[in-house]
Amino acid sequence: MPRNFIHDDSIWICLIIATSLVVILMAIFSLTHGINDIFPYFFLVPVILAAYAFPERAVMVTVTLAGIYFVLVWMFGTLSATMIAVHTAWFFVFVSLGVVISHFAEISKIRKNQVEHLKKEAFQQIENNMEQLLILNDQIRNPLQAILLDASVLDENTNVLISDQVKTIEVILDQLDERYLESEKVRKFLRKYYSFEKK
C-alpha cells in the first residue's frame, strides 16, 4: 500500500528544513534590529514539526535547533544578563517541548501500530470463521440427506416428523448461507478500502 502523501518522510524533512531556515532568517533580522520578544516563538514551529514527524530523532533535532538559536543570540543579539537568562530559558523550553512532544508522538505511533495489528488479526479471524462456517454448512447438509433417506423406511408419522425437522434445519442453513453472502460483501469492502489481504 503506498504511503499517504502527508506521512512521506521526505515531505516532513523538507517542511522542517524550510521552516527552520525561515525561522533562522527571522531571528537574525529580529536580533540585528533589537527585536527580542517575538522571534523565539517562531522556533516552536520546527521544534513541534520535528518532534511530531520523527519522535525517535526529535531530541537530537530539537537540541540542534535550540543550539542554533543560542548561537544566533550570542552572535547577533545585544548581550546583557537579562537577555542571557531569557534566551537560556528559551533554550530549555525548546528542548523540553521537543522531548515531551516526541514522547507522546512515539506513544501515539506505537498505539496506532497496535491497533492496525489488532485489526488485521480480527480480519484474519473473520476469514477463518467464515471458511469454517462454509465447511460446517456443507458437513451438516450431507448427514441431513442421509437422515431423510433412513427416515423413509420408518413408519409414516415418524418419517413426516423427521422430514419436518430436517426441513427446519435446512431453512436455518439457508439463512446461514444468506448471512455468509452478506459477510462476503463486507469482506470485499474491507479488502478494497482497508488493504486487508486474503491469506
Side-chain angles (χ1 to χ4, degrees), residues 39-41 43-44 47 58-74 83-99:
F39 78 91
Y41 293 100
F43 269 84
L44 295 174
V47 166
V59 175
M60 181 186 68
V61 174
T62 303
V63 169
T64 303
L65 284 168
I68 291 170
Y69 168 86
F70 211 62
V71 168
L72 291 173
V73 169
W74 278 94
M83 293 311 296
I84 290 171
V86 167
H87 293 303
T88 303
W90 271 109
F91 175 87
F92 288 109
V93 166
F94 296 147
V95 174
S96 302
L97 191 63
V99 169

Side-chain angles (χ1 to χ4, degrees), residues 22-42:
V22 169
V23 165
I24 288 168
L25 291 174
M26 289 174 70
I28 292 171
F29 177 82
S30 298
L31 287 166
T32 54
H33 289 79
I35 305 167
N36 293 305
D37 298 332
I38 298 172
F39 78 91
Y41 293 100
F42 294 116

